[in-house]
Amino acid sequence: MIAYFLERPYLILIFIVLIVFTLWVCLKAGQASAKHRAQTEKTMKKLKEETELKNEFATLTPALAQSADPARLFKGVALNLYKKVADSQDMNAAFEKLTDEQKEVYSLYFVIDDGAECLSDFFEANGQPVTGCAKNLLGKITDGKVSDIFKKMYLAFDREDETTSFIPEEIKALNKEFSELDPYDEICISAGKFISENIEKFI
């Protein structure tokens, strides 16, 4: 058997290549499985947290709003607004029935959710009136830097604005600038305070 392979050295090379390839495939399969498992665990954790938040703020009162952690208040209220809109037969009509403040909080949540990794993802996933409502609320509750970057990104994705044009490199730069500010915790806290200060618009 050994003599057979020694007489045909190219078969040894092929055999080695097959072993290396098999090991590589097994490694990649293991990595893919681990990645899938991690993603599944992340998704399940997120769903559990969202369910807890919806239940915690299902019945909103002034006392609850005043005592709650602002970030949890924002997320809980926004998720319940989303549920209200999503469960309706006509989502557009349900959205229009919300108060202006509710529309803004509803919309801002998608900045946190869809734009968590990259701000432009929010604009790619959403259009008017969500993007406009989110911009309005951010202008009220955040400092100039966060609001200014958001407004620039808003213009970059505004199909009705024919006077402004952003190239992909500029959008990438805005994403980086926004990410470096890491404003998401600040946004959630400020939005929660906004709800508490305008509680009559949410109950």
Side-chain angles (χ1 to χ4, degrees), residues 38-131:
Q39 184 60 46
T40 299
E41 290 175 356
K42 182 180 178 181
T43 300
M44 294 302 294
K45 181 180 178 182
K46 182 174 183 288
L47 290 173
K48 181 181 178 182
E49 290 175 350
E50 289 180 349
T51 299
E52 290 174 353
L53 284 165
K54 282 187 287 189
N55 291 339
E56 183 177 349
F57 297 99
T59 303
L60 188 62
T61 65
L64 177 58
Q66 290 295 326
S67 63
D69 172 77
R72 287 185 65 83
L73 175 63
F74 162 61
K75 293 175 183 178
V77 170
L79 286 166
N80 276 298
L81 288 172
Y82 173 75
K83 184 177 185 303
K84 181 178 180 179
V85 171
D87 288 350
S88 65
Q89 292 184 341
D90 187 337
M91 291 181 64
N92 291 330
F95 179 82
E96 287 303 320
K97 289 180 181 179
L98 301 178
T99 65
D100 290 342
E101 291 79 6
Q102 289 174 342
K103 290 176 183 177
E104 291 172 348
V105 166
Y106 169 98
S107 301
L108 187 61
Y109 183 77
F110 291 103
V111 175
I112 305 300
D113 195 38
D114 294 335
E117 301 294 331
C118 185
L119 179 59
S120 62
D121 288 347
F122 163 73
F123 290 96
E124 290 174 355
N126 302 280
Q128 291 288 7
V130 170
T131 54

Side-chain angles (χ1 to χ4, degrees), residues 70-75 104-105 107-113 115-116 119 134 137-143 145-147 150 178-179 181-195:
R72 287 185 65 83
L73 175 63
F74 162 61
K75 293 175 183 178
E104 291 172 348
V105 166
S107 301
L108 187 61
Y109 183 77
F110 291 103
V111 175
I112 305 300
D113 195 38
L119 179 59
L137 184 52
L138 269 181
K140 299 175 186 176
I141 67 173
T142 61
D143 63 26
K145 191 71 173 176
V146 172
S147 182
F150 193 89
F178 196 81
S179 177
L181 291 175
D182 194 21
Y184 295 102
D185 287 342
E186 175 195 342
I187 289 172
C188 291
I189 292 170
S190 298
K193 291 178 179 178
F194 173 81
I195 293 171

